[in-house]
Amino acid sequence: MVEAVVALLMFVNGEIKEARIQNNMALCLRHKREAERQYSASVTYKCWRGEAELEENIDKSLSIKKLIIQ
């Protein structure tokens, strides 16, 4: 299923390694600040709003399968 989401993206050496669904942009920015406290030169974080293909996990939670970037 494709839905509009707010996601916290983790980039390692310029590549997206992880994408987590967030409830809203304010929460995403808070989690970004918390993650950036553990500094690493090769890791950066970005909040992103757009569409993503989601999949349902075994515990009925949703996770991002693929980002749809236009």
Side-chain angles (χ1 to χ4, degrees):
M1 80 183 91
V2 175
E3 289 189 26
V5 297
V6 173
L8 178 59
L9 307 178
M10 179 177 76
F11 292 86
V12 178
N13 295 324
E15 288 185 43
I16 298 174
K17 291 296 180 182
E18 189 172 333
R20 296 274 178 131
I21 298 173
Q22 304 295 308
N23 291 335
N24 55 49
M25 188 59 79
L27 186 62
C28 184
L29 291 170
R30 181 181 307 148
H31 289 154
K32 177 184 175 209
R33 280 192 305 274
E34 291 172 2
E36 287 177 336
R37 289 180 187 154
Q38 300 193 5
Y39 176 76
S40 175
S42 62
V43 179
T44 58
Y45 298 91
K46 182 175 183 175
C47 290
W48 177 79
R49 184 185 320 233
E51 291 188 342
E53 185 176 326
L54 305 178
E55 63 183 354
E56 190 172 305
N57 297 323
I58 198 164
D59 64 353
K60 303 296 183 194
S61 64
L62 294 175
S63 63
I64 296 174
K65 183 176 181 180
K66 180 171 58 172
L67 298 175
I68 300 172
I69 300 174
Q70 300 175 0

